[in-house]
């Protein structure tokens, strides 16, 4: 089975990461300290979105394209996958174009 690094899968991962940041704020882990300032769901989602943009070194427009399920340039896709802790090269995959992938030989 070959891992899927398509724009549709990237959209799902990014959306899940942003949403989970909001849910972790609304429903904090009881074992962790709650001394940090409380954020609203929307503020936590916005903070995670900004964190992903900074960590991946992409623009807001590129992230908007990803969240709409459209492809972005190859280098930005690779950086965003790495920011999500899923490096395509680790699976022997080389990303091509705005939506393609192939097995590295």
């Amino acid at each position: 089975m070959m891992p899927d690094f398509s724009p549709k899968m990237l959209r799902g991962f990014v959306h899940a990461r942003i949403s989970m940041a909001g849910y972790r704020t609304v429903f904090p882990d009881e074992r962790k300290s709650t001394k940090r300032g409380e954020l609203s769901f929307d503020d936590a989602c916005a903070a995670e979105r900004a964190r992903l943009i900074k960590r991946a070194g992409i623009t807001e427009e590129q992230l908007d394209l990803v969240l709409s399920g459209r492809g972005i340039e190859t280098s930005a896709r690779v950086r965003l996958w790495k920011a999500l802790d899923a490096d395509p090269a680790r699976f022997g995959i080389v990303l091509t174009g705005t939506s393609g992938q192939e097995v590295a030989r």
Side-chain angles (χ1 to χ4, degrees):
M1 183 174 140
M2 187 165 87
D4 183 12
F5 289 97
S6 67
K8 184 177 179 180
M9 189 63 70
L10 183 57
R11 178 191 176 276
F13 271 77
V14 170
H15 179 70
R17 176 70 62 96
I18 291 171
S19 297
M20 286 308 298
Y23 289 121
R24 280 192 307 268
T25 299
V26 175
F27 303 105
D29 187 351
E30 294 176 4
R31 297 171 289 174
K32 292 184 179 179
S33 173
T34 57
K35 292 181 181 178
R36 288 182 273 160
E38 292 294 321
L39 293 175
S40 70
F41 179 86
D42 292 335
D43 290 341
C45 288
E48 184 62 25
R49 181 183 165 97
R51 196 173 304 118
L52 275 176
I53 288 170
K54 183 176 180 180
R55 187 170 179 201
I58 62 174
T59 65
E60 288 185 33
E61 291 79 19
Q62 288 173 316
L63 190 62
D64 288 338
L65 286 172
V66 167
L67 288 171
S68 67
R70 296 169 56 196
I72 57 174
E73 66 181 23
T74 306
S75 61
R77 281 177 53 213
V78 171
R79 290 192 312 268
L80 186 52
W81 275 115
K82 286 181 179 181
L84 294 167
D85 299 321
D87 185 4
R90 187 174 68 200
F91 297 99
I93 303 292
V94 175
L95 300 181
T96 58
T98 59
S99 62
Q101 68 182 40
E102 56 188 44
V103 177
R105 296 190 180 161

